[in-house]
Amino acid sequence: MNVIIDAFGGDNAPDALIQGLVWALETREDFNVILIGEETLLNSKLNKYKYDNKRIKIVNAREIITNNESPVEAIRIKKDSSIVVGLKLLNTSSDSDVFVSAGSTGAVLAGAVLLLKRLEGVSRPALAPVLPTVNGSSAILIDCGANSECKPEMLLQFGKMGSAYAKAIFGIKNPRLALLSNGVEAKKGTELIREAHKLFQVDENINFCGNVEARDILCGNYEVIVADGFSGNIALKACEGTALMMFSLIKKGIEKGGIRAKFGYLLLKPVLKKIKHTLDYNNQGGAVLLGLKKLVIKAHGSCEADAFKATILQAVSLNELKVTERISLELTGFSV
Amino acid sequence: MNVIIDAFGGDNAPDALIQGLVWALETREDFNVILIGEETLLNSKLNKYKYDNKRIKIVNAREIITNNESPVEAIRIKKDSSIVVGLKLLNTSSDSDVFVSAGSTGAVLAGAVLLLKRLEGVSRPALAPVLPTVNGSSAILIDCGANSECKPEMLLQFGKMGSAYAKAIFGIKNPRLALLSNGVEAKKGTELIREAHKLFQVDENINFCGNVEARDILCGNYEVIVADGFSGNIALKACEGTALMMFSLIKKGIEKGGIRAKFGYLLLKPVLKKIKHTLDYNNQGGAVLLGLKKLVIKAHGSCEADAFKATILQAVSLNELKVTERISLELTGFSV
């Protein structure tokens, strides 16, 4: 199989990406890579590494879409950008199933929606990152920003796609699913959420456990949390911001706390480092866009080499787990 | 002035509440209290404390509204509940300006909307907690759950009320205001947010700084963050849940980390305790419902005595700062 990679996506591309790629190639031998970007530059960067050059093919793309551009417009205009070239190749290639990019989230989403085919029964694809939870398990939050405006039926589809994804990546049979709302009662929430709640309640193919408040997203009681893309994005980023704030407060406190605090920090460092590692959702790989015939993985824009390595290996593994096929079966009612 | 207090709201009422009340009475001498609840029980509890009994008046109310009841129905049926009796008294009393309750959020909100008069120009009141930020300043998040469904004009009103509130409690002239969305660009968000963005942009009476992502709510760059009640609630609770998760992970890590980690914790304890204190928004008092002719403060349901004390003193102080009058002037364009 081939993983198609946007070599110019993210703040640290292409250097950190190439380092991560070489590490990923060293870790597993059963995949090849198509690297999309400015060929001469990529070749000169790759020349610094030792790797099996039969495993990397470069496809030239001379443009880059930045975060400051209107995503839809950029996809339409920049035909020679790494995102557009990569997605078009993914759409037509018979031996490539995954595209990885750390570039503009809006452009990756817009490009995927415009250039790739949807699975049967899917009205809109959804972005589904995997979050760490307090008890060490993981939870899928779907949708996290692909669809700001949703309909109840879309949320039900997100739930089914999330369930199939949870079954595949967590290896469980009956993932617990909850609907993000501002209260656990069925009457709570916007009209969208209340209508979606009713659809979930009568669907026998999913293990619906009711509404969940944002306070309990990370509690570990649910494997799938369904949200409209706007609320899911708010929830995800509020969690991220709070975790960053706490680390910043700890750092400031240690700096101001004199020798006592500094010595305490040295002793407690392994514990704090482990927590940072747990909470850093880069370590869980990128967020996968579910609902298309091919997989698209959006890595965090500030990805470092190790996160790129993790995301590339995630791409190989998701392909192996036949995530797309499983979602397709779930949506047509033939799930295993 | 009188503060009217729901003596039977919250998980720890009435015991923690009475302790907090006695502490508050000891701290300031320039206010009195009307305590709403079962008279005989309250008298027997109060008898254990020394306090100036001229400062507390008890008004009997024999019913309690629980979290498990439908708020609107409970307000209509339980006429003798501490929330209904307290709010009705607030509405008619000439020397009482604030009602404090740690009871069911839904019931307090529904009761306030049904039983109190709105300020001129306000279509719906909004809940506005004060959050800590990473640089030690505070930010008002409005609305946090009073209105799940909003219109753009409502968000503009929330912005004006939040600005007036920020001027009053932070003592600043030109509070920076941002609109919660899933991206900083004006085009981002739901239709509601995009339309509200346009209204904010052309209003010269507020210091609109654009959209803010949930990641940056706690960054300290804005004094007022405007959200529809559903998203605001998601953001608030996601922040709260993440902070709780991190403390839980630190605790677990220390328990498992052997003597080294335990000793490190002892040394770092003052730093961690201070962070816990900073992040605990109970220390900032309760969330104020803005937009009514009288103030209603919703304390956290799990309030302990010190949080009750803080909330009662907050009530006195908000009355002193003439928050209601200032909001009224802001809404009619005569703000100072």
Side-chain angles (χ1 to χ4, degrees):
Chain A
M1 70 154 301
N2 291 314
V3 179
I4 303 178
I5 302 176
D6 170 8
F8 285 85
D11 309 336
N12 307 311
D15 296 279
L17 184 136
I18 287 172
Q19 174 63 78
L21 167 59
V22 172
W23 285 340
L25 291 170
E26 284 166 4
T27 311
R28 286 187 70 150
E29 294 190 341
D30 54 351
F31 73 101
N32 295 328
V33 159
I34 301 174
L35 214 47
I36 315 286
E38 217 279 285
E39 197 169 1
T40 328
L41 181 62
L42 287 175
N43 271 322
S44 78
K45 298 271 181 193
L46 279 166
N47 279 340
K48 293 174 193 154
Y49 295 92
K50 271 192 184 170
Y51 64 95
D52 177 358
N53 61 14
K54 289 193 294 294
R55 294 181 65 191
I56 301 184
K57 185 183 155 191
I58 296 175
V59 170
N60 199 22
R62 284 163 300 183
E63 290 177 295
I64 298 171
I65 295 177
T66 66
N67 280 322
N68 305 323
E69 295 171 82
S70 156
V72 177
E73 217 168 297
I75 291 294
R76 290 213 166 112
I77 294 170
K78 291 192 164 173
K79 304 276 184 215
D80 200 25
S81 63
S82 48
I83 292 176
V84 173
V85 173
L87 285 168
K88 281 189 169 167
L89 184 61
L90 181 73
N91 191 37
T92 52
S93 163
S94 60
D95 55 359
S96 307
D97 297 288
V98 197
F99 176 68
V100 172
S101 175
S104 152
T105 307
V108 172
L109 293 177
V113 171
L114 291 168
L115 302 170
L116 300 177
K117 293 183 193 82
R118 288 190 295 251
L119 285 174
E120 205 177 318
V122 173
S123 46
R124 294 293 299 269
L127 201 59
V130 176
L131 308 180
T133 78
V134 73
N135 65 14
S137 65
S138 298
I140 295 161
L141 181 59
I142 180 171
D143 173 33
C144 258
N147 310 280
S148 289
E149 314 271 3
C150 292
K151 290 180 180 162
E153 296 73 23
M154 285 166 68
L155 296 193
L156 184 63
Q157 280 177 16
F158 297 168
K160 289 183 178 186
M161 295 198 287
S163 285
Y165 187 42
K167 287 178 194 174
I169 62 172
F170 303 147
I172 52 172
K173 281 205 168 158
N174 210 15
R176 292 164 298 178
L177 181 146
L179 182 60
L180 184 63
S181 188
N182 60 341
V184 293
E185 307 85 356
K187 283 182 184 173
K188 281 282 193 161
T190 56
E191 197 189 334
L192 166 71
I193 299 297
R194 291 193 303 273
E195 290 303 312
H197 189 106
K198 288 180 201 161
L199 294 180
F200 279 112
Q201 268 186 319
V202 296
D203 196 301
E204 289 175 354
N205 297 316
I206 46 171
N207 180 12
F208 182 50
C209 306
N211 288 353
V212 61
E213 292 192 46
R215 189 189 286 126
D216 295 325
I217 290 175
L218 308 175
C219 73
N221 289 346
Y222 312 102
E223 283 79 30
V224 183
I225 291 158
V226 177
D228 61 276
F230 187 77
S231 308
N233 189 279
I234 301 276
L236 178 73
K237 288 183 182 160
C239 292
E240 193 185 345
T242 309
L244 288 173
M245 180 202 191
M246 281 192 67
F247 283 117
S248 162
L249 288 175
I250 291 173
K251 200 179 159 195
K252 276 188 193 171
I254 291 162
E255 279 165 10
K256 283 186 189 165
I259 290 181
R260 174 182 166 156
K262 285 185 186 65
F263 193 55
Y265 169 66
L266 279 180
L267 294 172
L268 212 53
K269 204 173 168 181
V271 171
L272 294 174
K273 259 193 134 168
K274 206 180 152 201
I275 294 172
K276 205 164 187 175
H277 185 84
T278 305
L279 288 181
D280 186 354
Y281 62 79
N282 286 319
N283 297 315
Q284 315 258 2
V288 181
L289 190 66
L290 301 175
L292 301 167
K293 289 203 172 176
K294 301 279 179 96
L295 283 181
V296 172
I297 305 183
K298 172 63 186 71
H300 207 282
S302 58
C303 252
E304 299 285 353
D306 49 355
F308 272 119
K309 175 190 163 191
T311 310
I312 294 165
L313 293 174
Q314 176 195 16
V316 179
S317 154
L318 291 181
N319 185 56
E320 215 171 34
L321 288 168
K322 300 192 181 304
V323 166
T324 305
E325 290 85 336
R326 292 177 82 146
I327 290 173
S328 178
L329 289 171
E330 185 87 30
L331 286 165
T332 46
F334 294 103
S335 121
V336 275
Chain B
M1 72 152 300
N2 291 313
V3 179
I4 303 178
I5 302 174
D6 170 9
F8 285 86
D11 308 338
N12 307 312
D15 295 279
L17 183 137
I18 287 172
Q19 173 65 78
L21 168 59
V22 172
W23 284 341
L25 291 171
E26 285 165 3
T27 310
R28 286 186 71 150
E29 293 190 340
D30 55 351
F31 73 100
N32 294 328
V33 159
I34 301 174
L35 212 49
I36 315 286
E38 217 277 287
E39 198 171 359
T40 328
L41 181 62
L42 288 174
N43 271 320
S44 78
K45 298 271 181 194
L46 279 166
N47 278 340
K48 293 175 192 153
Y49 294 93
K50 270 191 188 170
Y51 66 94
D52 177 358
N53 62 14
K54 287 191 296 291
R55 295 181 65 192
I56 301 184
K57 185 183 155 192
I58 297 175
V59 169
N60 200 23
R62 282 162 302 183
E63 289 178 296
I64 299 170
I65 296 176
T66 67
N67 281 322
N68 304 322
E69 295 171 82
S70 157
V72 177
E73 216 168 301
I75 291 294
R76 290 212 168 114
I77 293 170
K78 290 192 166 174
K79 303 277 185 213
D80 200 24
S81 63
S82 48
I83 292 176
V84 172
V85 172
L87 286 169
K88 281 190 171 170
L89 183 62
L90 181 72
N91 191 37
T92 52
S93 163
S94 60
D95 56 358
S96 308
D97 297 289
V98 198
F99 176 67
V100 172
S101 175
S104 150
T105 308
V108 172
L109 294 177
V113 170
L114 291 169
L115 301 171
L116 300 178
K117 293 181 193 85
R118 288 188 298 249
L119 285 174
E120 207 177 316
V122 173
S123 46
R124 294 294 300 269
L127 201 60
V130 176
L131 308 181
T133 79
V134 74
N135 65 14
S137 64
S138 298
I140 294 161
L141 181 59
I142 180 172
D143 175 32
C144 258
N147 310 281
S148 289
E149 314 271 4
C150 292
K151 289 178 180 165
E153 296 74 22
M154 285 166 67
L155 296 193
L156 184 62
Q157 281 177 15
F158 298 168
K160 290 184 177 186
M161 296 197 286
S163 286
Y165 187 41
K167 287 178 194 173
I169 62 172
F170 302 148
I172 51 173
K173 281 204 170 161
N174 211 15
R176 293 165 297 180
L177 181 145
L179 182 61
L180 184 63
S181 188
N182 59 342
V184 292
E185 306 86 356
K187 283 183 184 173
K188 281 283 193 160
T190 55
E191 198 190 333
L192 166 71
I193 299 299
R194 291 194 303 273
E195 290 303 313
H197 189 105
K198 289 180 201 161
L199 293 181
F200 278 113
Q201 268 186 318
V202 296
D203 195 301
E204 290 176 355
N205 297 315
I206 47 171
N207 180 11
F208 182 51
C209 306
N211 289 353
V212 60
E213 292 194 45
R215 189 190 285 124
D216 295 324
I217 290 175
L218 307 176
C219 73
N221 289 345
Y222 312 102
E223 283 79 30
V224 182
I225 291 156
V226 177
D228 62 276
F230 187 77
S231 308
N233 188 278
I234 301 277
L236 177 74
K237 288 183 181 162
C239 293
E240 193 186 346
T242 308
L244 288 174
M245 180 202 191
M246 280 192 67
F247 284 117
S248 162
L249 288 175
I250 291 173
K251 199 178 161 196
K252 275 188 193 172
I254 291 162
E255 280 165 8
K256 281 185 189 166
I259 290 181
R260 172 182 168 159
K262 283 183 188 66
F263 193 54
Y265 168 65
L266 278 180
L267 294 172
L268 212 53
K269 204 173 170 181
V271 171
L272 295 174
K273 259 193 134 169
K274 204 179 152 201
I275 295 172
K276 205 166 187 172
H277 185 83
T278 306
L279 288 180
D280 187 353
Y281 61 80
N282 286 319
N283 297 315
Q284 315 257 2
V288 180
L289 190 66
L290 300 176
L292 300 168
K293 289 205 172 173
K294 301 280 178 97
L295 284 180
V296 172
I297 306 183
K298 172 62 186 75
H300 206 283
S302 58
C303 252
E304 299 285 353
D306 49 355
F308 272 119
K309 176 191 163 190
T311 311
I312 294 165
L313 293 173
Q314 177 195 16
V316 179
S317 152
L318 292 182
N319 185 58
E320 215 169 33
L321 289 167
K322 300 193 182 301
V323 166
T324 305
E325 290 85 336
R326 294 177 80 146
I327 290 174
S328 180
L329 289 172
E330 185 88 28
L331 287 166
T332 47
F334 294 103
S335 124
V336 276

